[in-house]
């Protein structure tokens, strides 16, 4: 009787044709789920590493950027940051859309690094950054501000009679920047003249109440019957226009006088928004006469004294994560001992709004750390006037405008 070896039996089994296996088709819900997941992942990566859309909510950058401008902000210019707060709902910032529910957990906090970019932050760049004074949020989830970079690391900044000086030399003021003026006229100014010259303030309406049509209104009349308009935000072009009008009696800039101290400014107020921590030396600075102030640079070693400790307190205590830092009698202490010198670990920047008298900026809360920089504003892709009627909502002339340095 023939005996089949196990080798022959194995070969015979392998030679048999295997039944065809049909792959189970995906359900419609599975296909939609995969598509949505891919879209969310792709959008998150694009938003993190390349471009992100922002809107302008306040007039602090007018007239360079207007309330209702929608911007593309480039992360490529300065390099994208690695996430510090990884436990976050994708495509959110601080809260879940349409709610007040937090969109993140700070249970895990990672060191943040910046990937290589096309350039460094330069003077006059329009920069989006996480505002540094919001201690209630992780650094990468603090509120986004947009301002113009005025001082870069190593600069000495000073403002004299509204003119900004860097390292002793005057710098050019942005063409569309605004300052504040008081206007006196022999008759009420027609609304269309204010509108044509973009002399508007949407924090008030034509009767002086908050949140209205933004048209200026006369706040008083002189004994001679002239009309007085106060605190008008105007560009140089608007100032030139009104000075040529026959009904204009007087047009005067409202500026703070040199030597009159504003105790709410940095570094007189050491730890904005706290009112209790003040510098041992009050400087006679105000928004129009400010400095000289050195802008800290990475690797720089500074000697700390009661005269300058207020400048560096938040850097040492907050932004560079040193342990055991306290503020006592106008000096920085570490572990109960006065800190007499310190080496700066990262670069810092001084930011200002183009609407110089209507901007809460570095003059109030100090420097912006490099690790708070989000990106460079490069393009206005849409502009919507939130106060215009339906037929005039879109500012067509601003669409796809490049943002000028």
């Amino acid at each position: 009787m023939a005996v089949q070896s196990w080798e022959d039996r194995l070969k015979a089994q392998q030679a048999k044709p295997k039944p065809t296996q049909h792959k189970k088709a995906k359900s419609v819900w599975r296909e939609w789920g995969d598509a949505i997941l891919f879209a969310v992942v792709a959008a998150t990566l694009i938003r993190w590493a390349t471009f992100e859309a922002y809107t302008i909510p306040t007039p602090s950058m007018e007239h360079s950027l207007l309330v209702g401008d929608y911007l593309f902000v480039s992360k490529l210019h300065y390099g994208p940051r690695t996430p510090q707060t990884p436990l976050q709902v994708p495509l959110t910032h601080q809260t879940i859309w349409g709610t007040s529910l937090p969109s993140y957990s700070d249970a895990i906090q990672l060191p943040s690094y910046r990937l290589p970019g096309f350039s460094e932050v330069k003077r006059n760049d329009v920069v989006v950054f996480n505002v540094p004074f919001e201690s209630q949020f992780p650094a990468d989830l603090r509120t986004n501000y947009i301002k113009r970079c005025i001082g870069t690391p190593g600069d000495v900044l000073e403002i004299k009679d509204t003119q900004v000086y860097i390292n002793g030399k005057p710098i050019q003021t942005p063409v569309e920047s605004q300052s504040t003026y008081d206007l006196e006229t022999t008759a009420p100014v027609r609304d269309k003249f204010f509108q044509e010259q973009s002399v508007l303030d949407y924090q008030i309406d034509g009767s002086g109440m908050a949140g209205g049509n933004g048209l200026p209104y006369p706040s008083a009349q002189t004994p001679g019957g002239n009309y007085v308009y106060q605190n008008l935000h105007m560009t140089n072009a608007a100032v030139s226009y009104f000075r040529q009008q026959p009904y204009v009696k007087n047009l005067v800039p409202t500026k703070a006088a040199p030597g009159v101290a504003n105790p709410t400014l940095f570094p007189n107020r050491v730890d904005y928004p706290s009112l209790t921590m003040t510098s041992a030396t009050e400087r006679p600075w105000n928004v129009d006469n400010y400095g000289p102030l050195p802008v800290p640079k990475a690797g720089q070693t500074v000697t700390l004294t009661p005269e300058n400790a207020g400048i560096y307190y938040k850097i040492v205590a907050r932004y560079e994560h040193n342990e055991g830092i306290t503020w006592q009698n106008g000096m920085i202490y570490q572990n109960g001992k006065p800190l007499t010198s310190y080496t700066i670990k990262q670069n810092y920047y001084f930011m200002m709004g183009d609407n110089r008298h209507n901007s809460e900026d570095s003059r109030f809360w100090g420097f912006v750390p490099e690790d708070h920089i989000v990106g460079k504003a490069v393009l206005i892709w849409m502009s919507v006037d939130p106060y215009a009627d339906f037929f005039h909502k879109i500012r067509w002339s601003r669409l796809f405008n490049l943002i000028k340095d």
Side-chain angles (χ1 to χ4, degrees), residues 84-401:
Q84 178 180 326
T85 309
L87 301 180
Q88 182 185 3
V89 178
L91 306 179
T92 63
H93 187 56
Q94 294 172 346
T95 58
I96 295 174
W97 316 281
T99 74
S100 59
L101 298 174
S103 63
Y104 68 94
S105 169
D106 59 3
I108 299 176
Q109 290 288 283
L110 303 176
S112 182
Y113 301 97
R114 189 177 297 277
L115 302 182
F118 295 150
S119 67
E120 297 179 346
V121 180
K122 300 188 297 295
R123 192 178 304 122
N124 286 327
D125 282 0
V126 178
V127 180
V128 171
F129 54 91
N130 301 118
V131 65
F133 59 78
E134 283 187 342
S135 57
Q136 68 269 37
F137 298 112
D140 59 338
L141 292 178
R142 291 171 182 165
T143 300
N144 292 315
Y145 272 27
I146 183 167
K147 307 286 182 187
R148 191 177 297 276
C149 178
I150 300 298
T152 56
D155 284 343
V156 176
L157 176 139
E158 188 171 9
I159 304 173
K160 299 178 183 179
D161 192 29
T162 73
Q163 172 64 55
V164 178
Y165 292 78
I166 297 295
N167 303 323
K169 298 179 180 180
I171 64 171
Q172 184 175 358
T173 302
V175 173
E176 295 293 333
S177 67
Q178 292 184 326
S179 293
T180 306
Y181 291 80
D182 288 343
L183 174 66
E184 182 182 348
T185 63
T186 56
V189 180
R190 295 175 63 182
D191 290 347
K192 78 167 192 173
F193 295 147
F194 284 132
Q195 290 172 328
E196 288 173 354
Q197 299 302 316
S198 298
V199 181
L200 304 169
D201 186 351
Y202 291 119
Q203 295 172 329
I204 60 172
D205 65 13
S207 64
M209 302 300 289
N213 58 17
L215 293 171
Y217 65 99
S219 58
Q221 276 189 277
T222 67
N226 292 335
Y227 295 84
V228 177
Y229 297 80
Q230 293 181 312
N231 298 321
L232 302 182
H233 305 298
M234 308 175 79
T235 63
N236 287 337
V239 171
S240 297
Y241 170 82
F242 281 107
R243 280 184 170 155
Q244 295 173 15
Q245 305 311 307
Y247 54 82
V248 172
K249 183 76 173 178
N250 212 356
L251 184 58
V252 181
T254 58
K255 297 185 289 187
V260 178
N262 183 341
T264 67
L265 296 188
F266 173 83
N268 287 337
R269 180 159 58 169
V270 172
D271 191 18
Y272 180 96
S274 170
L275 296 174
T276 59
M277 294 176 59
T278 58
S279 176
T281 302
E282 183 179 81
R283 293 162 173 78
W285 299 357
N286 52 58
V287 294
D288 295 320
N289 300 275
Y290 187 92
L293 178 72
V295 182
K297 183 178 182 179
Q300 172 189 9
T301 299
V302 294
T303 300
L304 299 175
T305 67
E307 286 71 31
N308 70 1
I311 297 173
Y312 301 101
Y313 168 74
K314 287 195 291 186
I315 292 174
V316 178
R318 305 278 172 78
Y319 308 149
E320 301 196 349
H321 313 293
N322 296 290
E323 299 292 335
I325 302 299
T326 57
W327 177 261
Q328 301 178 38
N329 303 318
M331 274 296 290
I332 303 172
Y333 281 68
Q334 185 169 31
N335 300 322
K337 297 180 180 180
L339 193 64
T340 57
S341 68
Y342 184 77
T343 300
I344 307 296
K345 298 177 183 177
Q346 62 175 319
N347 287 324
Y348 291 84
Y349 301 88
F350 194 95
M351 306 287 185
M352 288 176 60
D354 286 357
N355 194 346
R356 294 293 168 82
H357 290 125
N358 194 20
S359 174
E360 184 186 81
D361 51 38
S362 286
R363 293 170 293 180
F364 291 85
W365 37 255
F367 307 112
V368 176
E370 187 172 24
D371 62 8
H372 283 52
I373 299 293
V374 174
K376 180 179 180 180
V378 293
L379 178 73
I380 301 169
W381 62 273
M382 173 63 75
S383 186
V384 178
D385 187 341
Y387 306 96
D389 60 57
F390 176 79
F391 295 102
H392 300 91
K393 276 286 184 185
I394 306 299
R395 302 182 182 112
W396 296 103
S397 63
R398 297 185 65 80
L399 268 58
F400 301 106
N401 283 359

Side-chain angles (χ1 to χ4, degrees), residues 13-21:
Q13 289 177 350
Q14 291 176 343
K16 291 180 180 180
K18 295 182 180 179
T20 303
Q21 295 182 352

